[in-house]
Amino acid sequence: MKKFERGTRHRIDLMLNGVPRNGHCEPRMLLCDFLRQELGATGVHVGCEHGVCGACTVRIDGVAQRSCLTLAVAAEGRAVETVEGLADAGGALSDLQAAFRRHGALQCGFCTPGILMSAAHFLQSVPMPDEASVREMLSGHLCRCTGYSGIVAAIVDVAQQRASGKANA
Ligand code: FES
Ligand code: FES
């Protein structure tokens, strides 16, 4: 296991959206800042910076986590997924992103990358959620624009489409 010394920049190797990447940071650097500043993943949005708003949510080894509460050094050797990894290589939106567009589930879009990453993880754990459980999941995210109705509708819609075989996870 690597030893990270305070005040020294260290090389961090990780998988970002399925691609091996590396960058350098001091041990105190937050993962959200590392992803944005070192790796150019600016789809990771930074709002509150203390774990409340959910805008910075990414998946680490498949699990949705706040990247503002995670040190970059803790991502060494891990698989990190950001919103940039949801669309396919040709740029086609994922079913979840397409449903957000169809249902008008965003306005300014600041909260959207984090919500998409949480929803992606949530739908893997709960493939057929009811509206109440979607709203409970969303309680970890703040959206100042939408009133949440479109977001809930989009997530429920994707779950139903996947169950009927009309969309892919
Ligand atoms: S910026 Fe991380 S939860 Fe708000
Ligand atoms: S769409 Fe603006 S904060 Fe959610």
Side-chain angles (χ1 to χ4, degrees):
M1 189 172 173
K2 275 190 192 174
K3 190 176 171 201
F4 297 105
E5 288 173 23
R6 211 164 93 185
T8 306
R9 281 171 67 81
H10 297 271
R11 172 173 162 149
I12 306 296
D13 289 87
L14 50 74
M15 295 292 287
L16 178 62
N17 297 322
V19 177
R21 297 288 305 274
N22 67 76
H24 293 78
C25 68
E26 289 188 23
R28 64 182 177 171
M29 191 177 213
L30 298 174
L31 179 59
C32 54
D33 295 331
F34 181 77
L35 291 170
R36 288 177 58 86
Q37 296 167 22
E38 283 287 308
L39 302 186
T42 52
V44 179
H45 288 176
V46 179
C48 66
E49 292 186 84
H50 57 258
V52 175
C53 73
C56 67
T57 302
V58 300
R59 289 197 294 188
I60 303 175
D61 292 340
V63 178
Q65 296 191 40
R66 307 289 209 229
S67 61
C68 75
L69 297 183
T70 307
L71 292 172
V73 294
E76 164 71 24
R78 316 278 294 273
V80 177
E81 296 164 86
T82 66
V83 72
E84 286 91 345
L86 287 184
D88 71 18
L93 297 180
S94 66
D95 58 353
L96 187 58
Q97 290 169 301
F100 268 56
R101 183 161 71 179
R102 202 163 54 245
H103 287 274
L106 63 152
Q107 289 181 32
C108 79
F110 191 82
C111 68
T112 311
I115 291 178
L116 286 168
M117 299 317 290
S118 280
H121 175 211
F122 173 72
L123 286 171
Q124 283 185 329
S125 316
V126 188
M128 273 302 290
D130 58 17
E131 182 177 324
S133 59
V134 172
R135 288 188 178 278
E136 186 178 347
M137 180 275 292
L138 287 172
S139 67
H141 291 269
L142 297 179
C143 174
R144 301 188 71 171
C145 303
T146 66
Y148 300 96
S149 295
I151 300 171
V152 173
I155 295 169
V156 170
D157 187 3
V158 167
Q160 290 172 346
Q161 284 203 4
R162 289 181 183 176
S164 67
K166 290 184 187 157
N168 297 316

